[in-house]
């Protein structure tokens, strides 16, 4: 339905030819003071939007109340659907319908979420639960991830409802609950998709607005947590030949598994095409050991970490490979002994005592797959052209950070594209902020995307016609 879209050039689209309302959507500007006022209200709710159960269970309806209040004057033009599966934890679906009603092609902005990660005020130089403006910087938890985008999209629909452009495309936004925690399901976008609330969005590109740095993100990594525990024999450190040193064993086991991983999953040819900064990785991030004294060789030691996988490999295949590595290691633990480095007393078996050390693998949580966006999609072409026009830097990027839910949506048949306008450098960080001018540019980018896809829809058979009030 959007195939008339030019492949690389930005097109300025006139959205209203009425003499009284010569609006060009690409010329719309975000009302910055109104945006700051809404952000002040949203950040003021963040104490109750933090998501890390059981300590923090958000109440996203607190944010939704402010959004609905701002959109109240346009509720007859913008359809507002408040969808709740868990009390106090709603999702908000906004719809600005095209001229052909149910026959209109659809484009959607999805993924901007109403919950946040927790913030410890003792670590911040600003109050994370109050919007602080310092020049063009807006400080507060959620400004970049992701309430800043929520505010921007709310402003967009307020202007759509106010100006009433006659569009050949229907524009939808889905502001979601429970993005920051995957342990509780049936609250946010997963349930919306399962219930068919998003099925109509397959009729056009779905822009997931929860990234950063004002460039199209075309790829993300999958993630799987893991844990390796070496079980040896505890003994006095003055008699190392009587012990199986679990700390040394787990270090050598991790090195063995990593070596095998990188042999089987080297940098993929498509990673360069997608501008990935890093290939797939498997690395330790945490070390655990039972409490003991310095003169004890520990009998058990654990290393935890994660696998970050580019979307060109299967996480199921990787998990099967790692399980095989550990099984083969346990079949002959002597293969990871390194007496030249660790000394002649470092052994992982004590034949006289019929003891053999072992390594136990545990997967931590459920994995998430990465995504490679369709870079031939009209939605991608429109977003790249819009970003280039507004910011002069439309170069797409990929990273092995993980966005939950997007691969599942792509697998279900959605044309998922990724973008965002916060700051990657402060994602989930201390003194999180967004830049007001960059969010204003993001608003213009979204307007441009609507304009381009609307023109394509009209050229593909919708007809133009003068715009008028609905």
């Amino acid at each position: 339905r959007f195939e008339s879209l030019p492949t690389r050039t930005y097109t300025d689209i006139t959205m209203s030819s009425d003499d009284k309302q010569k609006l060009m959507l690409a010329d719309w500007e975000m009302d910055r003071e109104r945006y700051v006022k809404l952000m002040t209200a949203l950040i003021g709710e963040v104490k109750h939007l933090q998501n890390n159960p059981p300590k923090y269970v958000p109440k996203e309806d607190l944010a939704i109340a402010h959004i609905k209040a701002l959109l109240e004057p346009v509720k007859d033009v913008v359809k507002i659907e408040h969808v709740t599966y868990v009390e106090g934890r709603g999702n908000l679906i906004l719809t600005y319908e095209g001229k052909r009603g149910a026959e209109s092609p659809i484009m959607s902005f999805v993924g901007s979420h109403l919950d946040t990660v927790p913030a410890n005020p003792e670590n911040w130089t600003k109050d994370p639960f109050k919007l602080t403006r310092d020049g063009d910087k807006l400080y507060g938890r959620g400004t970049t991830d992701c309430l800043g985008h929520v505010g921007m999209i709310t402003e967009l629909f307020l202007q759509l409802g106010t100006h009433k452009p006659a569009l050949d495309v229907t524009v939808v936004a889905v502001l979601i609950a429970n993005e920051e925690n995957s342990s509780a399901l049936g609250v946010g976008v997963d349930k919306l998709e399962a219930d068919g609330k998003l099925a109509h969005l397959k009729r056009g590109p779905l822009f997931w607005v929860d990234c950063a740095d004002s460039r199209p993100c075309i790829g993300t990594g999958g993630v799987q947590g893991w844990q390796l525990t070496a079980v040896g024999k505890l003994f006095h450190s003055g008699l190392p030949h009587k012990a199986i040193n679990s700390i040394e064993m787990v270090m050598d086991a991790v090195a063995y598994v990593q070596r095998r991983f990188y042999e089987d999953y080297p940098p993929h040819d498509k990673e360069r095409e997608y501008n990935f900064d890093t290939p797939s990785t498997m690395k330790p991030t945490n070390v655990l050991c039972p409490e003991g004294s310095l003169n004890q060789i520990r009998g058990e030691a654990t290393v935890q970490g994660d696998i970050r996988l580019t979307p060109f490999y299967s996480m199921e295949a990787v998990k099967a490979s790692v399980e095989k590595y550990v099984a083969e290691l346990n079949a002959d633990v002597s293969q990871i002994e390194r007496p030249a480095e660790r000394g002649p007393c470092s052994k992982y078996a004590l034949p006289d005592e019929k003891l053999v050390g072992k390594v136990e693998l545990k997967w931590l949580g459920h994995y998430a797959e990465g995504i490679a966006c369709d870079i031939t999609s009209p939605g991608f072409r429109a977003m790249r052209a819009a970003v280039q026009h507004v910011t002069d830097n439309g170069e797409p990027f990929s990273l092995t950070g993980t966005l939950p839910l997007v691969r599942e949506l792509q697998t279900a048949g959605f044309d998922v594209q990724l973008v965002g306008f916060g700051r990657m450098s402060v994602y989930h960080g201390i003194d999180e902020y967004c830049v007001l001018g960059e969010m204003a540019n993001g608003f213009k980018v979204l307007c441009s995307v609507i304009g381009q896809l609307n023109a394509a829809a009209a050229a593909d058979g919708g007809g133009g016609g003068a715009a008028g009030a609905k």
Side-chain angles (χ1 to χ4, degrees):
R1 306 291 291 273
F2 294 111
E3 291 309 312
S4 298
L5 189 71
T7 56
R8 285 184 174 82
T9 58
Y10 170 81
T11 306
D12 209 287
I13 304 299
T14 302
M15 303 306 300
S16 172
S17 58
D18 188 276
D19 289 339
K20 296 180 180 178
Q21 188 186 20
K22 294 184 177 178
L23 290 175
M24 296 179 69
L25 193 66
D27 289 337
W28 288 8
E29 298 282 350
M30 186 174 80
D31 186 323
R32 298 191 183 200
E33 293 309 310
R34 185 167 59 202
Y35 175 83
V36 170
K37 185 176 179 180
L38 175 59
M39 287 298 295
T40 299
L42 294 177
I43 303 303
E45 302 287 3
V46 164
K47 275 187 181 180
H48 308 292
L49 300 177
Q50 298 173 96
N51 194 349
N52 188 25
K55 184 175 181 179
Y56 297 112
V57 178
K59 294 294 184 184
E60 287 91 345
D61 281 357
L62 295 172
I64 286 175
H66 296 290
I67 296 165
K68 290 173 71 174
L70 187 61
L71 295 177
E72 176 71 19
V74 298
K75 66 179 181 181
D76 293 335
V77 180
V78 174
K79 180 183 177 183
I80 302 170
E81 186 178 3
H82 188 171
V83 183
T84 303
Y85 300 108
V86 175
E87 185 178 357
R89 306 202 59 194
N91 306 268
L92 202 62
I93 303 175
L94 309 176
T95 303
Y96 184 81
E97 194 168 65
K99 292 186 296 184
R100 287 175 279 164
E103 298 299 315
S104 298
I106 288 180
M107 58 173 298
S108 58
F109 302 114
V110 182
S112 294
H113 53 92
L114 303 157
D115 60 330
T116 74
V117 296
N120 182 354
E122 294 180 2
N123 298 330
W124 286 51
T125 64
K126 316 285 186 183
D127 184 346
F129 307 126
K130 177 183 177 182
L131 189 75
T132 301
R133 184 172 183 175
D134 183 2
D136 214 28
K137 290 183 178 180
L138 303 179
Y139 288 90
R141 175 58 87 219
T143 47
T144 269
D145 182 30
C146 188
L147 296 172
H149 294 121
V150 168
M152 178 184 68
I153 290 172
T154 302
E155 171 71 14
L156 173 64
F157 276 79
L158 180 59
Q159 293 204 28
L160 285 169
T162 301
H163 297 310
K164 305 183 182 70
L167 301 181
D168 286 283
V169 61
T170 291
V171 185
V172 178
V174 185
L175 306 177
I176 63 173
N178 199 49
E179 191 272 348
E180 294 291 5
N181 185 277
S182 59
S183 63
L185 301 177
V187 181
V189 72
D190 60 312
K191 183 64 171 171
L192 291 170
E193 201 278 323
D195 276 5
K197 289 288 189 180
L198 307 181
H200 61 304
L201 305 186
K202 294 179 183 179
R203 304 207 320 261
L206 183 156
F207 299 95
W208 188 269
V209 188
D210 183 24
C211 296
D213 290 351
S214 302
R215 292 160 56 200
C217 178
I218 56 176
T220 67
V223 63
Q224 172 66 69
W226 55 264
Q227 176 177 293
L228 285 177
T229 299
V231 180
K233 179 191 174 186
L234 184 148
F235 214 78
H236 194 289
S237 65
L239 300 167
H241 62 297
K242 295 287 189 180
I244 296 177
N245 191 321
S246 63
I247 296 176
E248 292 182 347
M249 188 176 187
V250 78
M251 292 168 66
D252 289 335
V254 169
Y256 170 86
V257 173
Q258 283 182 295
R259 176 175 59 79
R260 297 284 302 274
F261 172 86
Y262 287 112
E263 288 172 353
D264 291 346
Y265 300 96
H268 195 284
D269 291 342
K270 291 187 74 67
E271 290 165 11
R272 178 171 296 188
E273 177 185 355
Y274 272 77
N275 290 337
F276 270 93
D277 290 332
T278 63
S280 300
T281 58
M282 179 179 186
K283 68 261 178 219
T285 59
N286 197 24
V287 178
L288 306 171
C289 202
E291 188 175 352
S293 63
L294 287 176
N295 64 358
Q296 285 181 313
I297 295 175
R298 304 292 197 279
E300 184 177 298
T302 297
V303 172
Q304 298 173 329
D306 67 16
I307 294 169
R308 295 284 177 164
L309 197 69
T310 60
F312 316 112
Y313 290 117
S314 161
M315 190 67 81
E316 282 291 341
V318 170
K319 289 179 66 175
S321 295
V322 173
E323 290 166 6
K324 177 185 175 184
Y325 307 154
V326 174
E328 292 176 354
L329 186 162
N330 282 323
D332 179 13
V333 295
S334 67
Q335 64 184 302
I336 64 169
E337 291 178 351
R338 300 196 302 162
E341 289 85 11
R342 304 219 181 269
C345 297
S346 180
K347 295 184 177 13
Y348 302 141
L350 300 173
D352 292 345
E353 301 182 41
K354 297 182 180 180
L355 287 178
V356 179
K358 64 178 180 179
V359 175
E360 299 171 345
L361 170 66
K362 179 181 180 181
W363 296 112
L364 303 178
H366 300 289
Y367 69 82
E369 293 273 18
I371 186 174
C373 297
D374 179 3
I375 55 178
T376 67
S377 157
F380 169 72
R381 297 199 305 264
M383 180 58 69
R384 184 173 187 179
V387 172
Q388 182 66 42
H389 175 77
V390 174
T391 72
D392 291 325
N393 182 13
E395 186 65 21
F397 72 99
S398 298
L399 74 171
T400 54
T402 303
L403 283 173
L405 311 171
V406 292
R407 176 64 175 269
E408 290 83 353
L409 290 173
Q410 186 187 59
T411 300
F414 295 86
D415 175 22
V416 180
Q417 304 294 327
L418 312 175
V419 74
F421 306 96
R423 286 293 182 101
M424 186 74 71
S425 60
V426 293
Y427 237 74
H428 292 190
I430 295 170
D431 290 341
E432 179 184 348
Y433 70 91
C434 68
V435 178
L436 182 57
E438 291 171 0
M439 287 295 176
N441 280 342
F443 174 89
K444 291 182 69 67
V445 166
L446 301 192
C447 289
S448 167
V449 169
I450 295 171
Q452 291 179 74
L453 293 177
N454 181 74
D460 287 341
K470 293 192 174 187

